[in-house]
Amino acid sequence: MKAKVHVTLKQGVLDPQGKAVLHALEALGFGGVKSVRQGKFIELDLTETDPKKAAAAVEAMCKKLLANTVIEDYRVDISEG
Amino acid sequence: MKAKVHVTLKQGVLDPQGKAVLHALEALGFGGVKSVRQGKFIELDLTETDPKKAAAAVEAMCKKLLANTVIEDYRVDISEG
């Protein structure tokens, strides 16, 4: 199975990286951008073939390593292949 | 409009960050992970209300700043709101 994980900052948590991107876009002449939030996108290739077990395993990985659940949210999508 | 941008390393480009995550997962006892690739996930809030114009603007932002097109691919998804 393949897993796609999105790790994003929780609402209300300051995002200096996103702010930097926003200012860089403005400096390059891209107006009309109200806000930028930057997160992580992690793709995992798993040997597990059962979608439920794969989802549970990736969920555990998120809690333990991939996301800092104090300040970050995560979303796991499991797909075939 | 809102734009979601995924920036991922092109196939064949080494991903030391992903490798580090893979080894960390193994060290934590998570077996069964064949590979990890780490990319960026960027959410933009735009004042533009036309989906086509918004897509074109974000495409230009990707080429100019958000992605390094020599080694990275990007995908833009535009949505309402």
Side-chain angles (χ1 to χ4, degrees):
Chain A
M1 311 293 304
K2 295 215 190 263
K4 291 183 201 295
V5 179
H6 288 84
V7 179
T8 50
L9 283 169
K10 282 184 200 279
Q11 275 223 331
V13 176
L14 287 178
D15 180 1
Q17 203 177 1
K19 272 258 153 51
V21 171
L22 177 60
H23 293 147
L25 285 171
E26 285 168 353
L28 286 168
F30 292 107
V33 183
K34 279 189 276 187
S35 77
V36 178
R37 302 282 285 175
Q38 183 161 339
K40 282 178 280 184
F41 175 59
I42 304 161
E43 292 171 292
L44 299 113
D45 196 356
L46 308 164
T47 53
E48 181 63 63
T49 52
D50 181 74
K52 276 195 185 160
K53 281 186 195 162
V58 176
E59 185 96 1
M61 291 174 201
C62 286
K63 284 194 181 135
K64 204 124 185 216
L65 180 75
L66 304 179
N68 175 355
T69 53
V70 177
I71 55 165
E72 291 172 326
D73 288 322
Y74 60 85
R75 200 182 78 220
V76 177
D77 299 297
I78 301 286
S79 62
E80 285 292 328
Chain B
M1 312 291 306
K2 294 214 190 265
K4 290 182 201 294
V5 179
H6 288 82
V7 179
T8 51
L9 284 168
K10 282 184 201 278
Q11 275 224 331
V13 176
L14 288 178
D15 181 2
Q17 204 177 1
K19 272 258 153 53
V21 171
L22 177 60
H23 292 147
L25 286 171
E26 285 169 353
L28 286 168
F30 291 107
V33 183
K34 278 190 276 185
S35 77
V36 179
R37 302 282 284 176
Q38 184 162 338
K40 282 178 281 185
F41 175 58
I42 304 160
E43 291 171 294
L44 299 114
D45 197 356
L46 308 165
T47 53
E48 179 62 63
T49 52
D50 180 74
K52 276 194 187 160
K53 282 187 195 163
V58 176
E59 185 95 359
M61 291 174 202
C62 286
K63 284 193 181 136
K64 204 125 185 215
L65 180 76
L66 303 178
N68 174 355
T69 53
V70 177
I71 55 166
E72 292 172 326
D73 287 322
Y74 60 86
R75 200 182 78 221
V76 177
D77 300 297
I78 301 285
S79 62
E80 284 294 328

